[in-house]
Structure formats: structure tokens, C-alpha cells
Amino acid sequence: MQPQSPTRRTFLADIAALAAGSAAGRVAAAESWSPGPRVEFLVPSGPGAALDASARKLARLLEQQRLSPAVVVSNRSSAHGVVVLQALQQAERNPNVLATLSSSLVYSEAQGALPVPYTEFTPLATLLTEYVVVAVRADSPLRTGSDLIARLRQDPTALSIGIATTLGNHIHLGIARPLKAGQVDVTRLRVIPYKSSAESLTALLGGHLDVISATTPNVVGQLKAGAIRLLAVAAPQRLGGVFADAPTWREQGVNAVGQSVQGVMAPKGISATQQAYWTRALREVTQTPDWKDFLVLNQWQDNFQGPQDTATQLAAEYREVRALLAELRLVQA
């Protein structure tokens, strides 16, 4: 084992203090724990997608800050993230396995699609808020969100819409919300799920799709290259950077906001000290200039919250999503 640096000794002391808030925590604080010899980070999407990008950035920063040994990112794309949840369930009590925690799990849970509730796992932190955009090829006759709504009012099946990774998730509802607000029959839309937004974007550029719904980081490269046009951003106000010219839905007279969160969770049954260690480590890396620049690049909003606030936020989101899915006739009321 490597000698501990003063920074690392201070870090471990902070973890002990965090874990000491209860009787169980005080017992756990007496333990000496640090991750290793290898950490696996499970991601429920394919390589190159937004969830993958943030996981790999976190992995690098955890290693660079010497808060973790080698972190191996494992892509396990599947409908509703089922494969990741099964792997996390099998890793019960193993603090060396982390996984992406995102709003998509809440949407899947609201549909009754998860083999095990997301609440069975250990939340570590919420990291960021992201927004959904709607994009077309640069040569598309559709130039605004209003154009899209007008076309789909006439015929909801007229256009093929690509999403990732499953029906009823935050990316699907990120386009369904504004279309429904625009009086489109969203139950008749031709929505096609892909393994990742990287794949749906490729299909769009190849002429196999008319429209895609995706989160902001997935479209940065092609937007800069001029290959796509953004019809609308489902943010409460305009974003900056490369997205500065893209209007919000609200600017186009449609009262719709589509946002979701990303975070990190661990298996069930890890100790209070282990949970506190990872929460503190994630807080530390998200305060680095490298991470902050990463958020700006992708137009993500910093939204760090600890385990309890994360659980509370997801529970509130579940109630809102369940009601919306019922309204869209994707689940029974």
C-alpha cells in the first residue's frame, strides 16, 4: 500500500467525522477503509454518450486526485438500465463498485420496468443537472420548434424521432412534454429508441431519422461543425456557449422544461464509512477546475447534493414523473 500523503490523511479524517454522526457511524469510523485494489464504474449506456462521458471524467479525476486506484468504466447498455442494476445487486456490500444514478431510473421505476427498485441501492451524490434539446440535420426544412409542432399536429406519424435509451425516459419525455403542450397527439409519435444518443445522432446524420431528442453534451461536436440545427432547448432560460443561439421552448410560446440529474450510487449494504468516503471524494473532484470546465463545455449545471438530499429529490421527481406518464397514457393512472 502506498504511504498516505498529508492531504489523504486529512481526507480520511474528514470521512471519519462524516461517518460519526450516528452510533453505527462511530463504529464504522473506527475502521480503516480506502477503495481498491480496483474500482468498477457501471454505466447504463454505450460508449460516447453523455452518461459515459461524465463517468469517464469522474474516473480520471478520482485517479488524478489519488482518491481511488484504477477506475474501470464498464458500459452495459440495456433498456431501463436493467443490466447495470442486476450487476449492482450482485455486488451487494462491495464498496468498490459504483454506478451512474440518473433521472432515467426514476422514469423507469415509474413505469414499473425495474427488476429491483432504485431505492434498494446506496445513493452517494447528485452531481449535475442536464437539459434536453431537439435537433434536426442542418438541411432539414424544419427550422424552429414551432415548425415541428405544426408538422406533427397535422400528422403525428410524419416524422421519425430518435431517443436513447428507452421509451418513457427523460429524453423521450423531454420531447413529448413540449409536443403535448403544443397539442400534438404524443401517443401516436414514431419514437425509435437507440442504445445511446451517439447512435441516434449518427442515424440522424445518415438520413435514417428526421429528429432526435438528446441531452446537451451529445450534440456539441456536430453543432459546432454545423451539421445539425437545434429547434429548441428545454431549459428554463437560454444556455451559453455553443447553445447561445438556440431558443428555449418557452421563447417559442411552449411552456415546457425538460431536465434531469446525474449522480453516483453504490450497492446496498456498504458501511457508513464507505458511503461517506465516496460522497466526500465526489464532492472533492467536482470542485476542481477540470470538472467545472467540463460542465461549461457540456452546458450542465452544477448541482452537488449528498445522499439524503439526493434521495429526497428523486422521490419528488418520481411523483411528478408518474403523474406525467399517466397523462401521456404510458402507464395506467
Side-chain angles (χ1 to χ4, degrees):
M1 181 178 293
Q2 295 181 357
Q4 292 180 359
S5 66
T7 299
R8 186 167 181 77
R9 287 197 297 271
T10 301
F11 179 85
L12 291 173
D14 289 345
I15 295 307
L18 283 169
S22 64
R26 284 191 292 273
V27 173
E31 304 171 1
S32 176
W33 184 85
S34 60
R38 174 181 177 273
V39 173
E40 184 176 20
F41 200 124
L42 306 173
V43 183
S45 70
L51 296 181
D52 177 67
S54 56
R56 292 181 187 277
K57 173 62 74 171
L58 284 172
R60 285 195 295 272
L61 290 175
L62 285 168
E63 293 174 2
Q64 289 172 6
Q65 298 296 314
R66 299 182 66 187
L67 298 172
S68 174
V71 181
V72 178
V73 176
S74 179
N75 297 94
R76 304 194 185 188
S77 180
S78 63
H80 301 288
V82 167
V83 172
V84 163
L85 295 182
Q86 290 172 337
L88 205 62
Q89 190 175 28
Q90 292 167 5
E92 185 172 346
R93 300 181 186 278
N94 186 349
N96 291 307
V97 177
L98 306 177
T100 300
L101 173 62
S102 72
S103 291
S104 61
L105 285 177
V106 175
Y107 284 68
S108 295
E109 176 71 15
Q111 296 177 69
L114 299 185
V116 56
Y118 69 88
T119 51
E120 285 294 300
F121 305 109
T122 304
L124 299 175
T126 297
L127 304 180
L128 59 90
T129 298
E130 60 183 355
Y131 299 103
V132 176
V133 300
V134 176
V136 295
R137 290 187 306 278
D139 60 357
S140 171
L142 301 172
R143 306 198 65 83
T144 66
S146 297
D147 290 344
L148 177 64
I149 287 174
R151 183 73 181 90
L152 293 175
R153 273 183 187 168
Q154 294 176 349
D155 180 4
T157 69
L159 303 171
S160 56
I161 302 171
I163 65 163
T165 57
T166 187
L167 295 175
N169 71 357
H170 64 291
I171 294 176
H172 179 195
L173 296 194
I175 188 169
R177 277 190 187 96
L179 293 181
K180 182 179 184 299
Q183 300 181 345
V184 172
D185 183 356
V186 294
T187 64
R188 296 176 56 205
L189 296 174
R190 280 201 295 137
V191 180
I192 306 169
Y194 285 78
K195 290 182 179 179
S196 70
S197 291
E199 290 191 13
S200 63
L201 181 57
T202 298
L204 177 73
L205 296 174
H208 306 295
L209 290 171
D210 299 305
V211 182
I212 65 164
S213 177
T215 52
T216 50
N218 294 291
V219 301
V220 170
Q222 296 301 333
L223 186 59
K224 285 182 176 179
I228 62 173
R229 176 187 306 121
L230 298 189
L231 301 185
V233 179
Q237 59 275 322
R238 281 207 188 199
L239 303 179
V242 71
F243 298 94
D245 292 333
T248 67
W249 282 109
R250 285 177 173 175
E251 288 179 74
Q252 300 178 73
V254 180
N255 188 21
V257 173
Q259 64 184 43
S260 61
V261 299
Q262 280 191 43
V264 182
M265 60 183 174
K268 178 181 179 180
I270 68 171
S271 73
T273 296
Q274 292 160 348
Q275 182 182 23
Y277 181 98
W278 281 124
T279 298
R280 178 68 176 81
L282 292 167
R283 182 185 295 276
E284 184 164 313
V285 298
T286 57
Q287 291 174 346
T288 62
D290 196 358
W291 177 260
K292 294 182 183 299
D293 290 343
F294 180 65
L295 294 185
V296 171
L297 172 66
N298 293 294
Q299 285 301 300
W300 282 332
Q301 179 181 343
D302 181 31
N303 181 22
F304 191 94
Q305 298 184 64
Q308 186 55 56
D309 288 340
T310 294
T312 299
Q313 173 180 290
L314 293 179
E317 189 173 8
Y318 173 86
R319 292 189 293 270
E320 186 270 336
V321 168
R322 178 73 188 181
L324 178 59
L325 289 171
E327 190 177 354
L328 296 175
R329 288 184 272 173
L330 293 173
V331 299
Q332 291 186 343

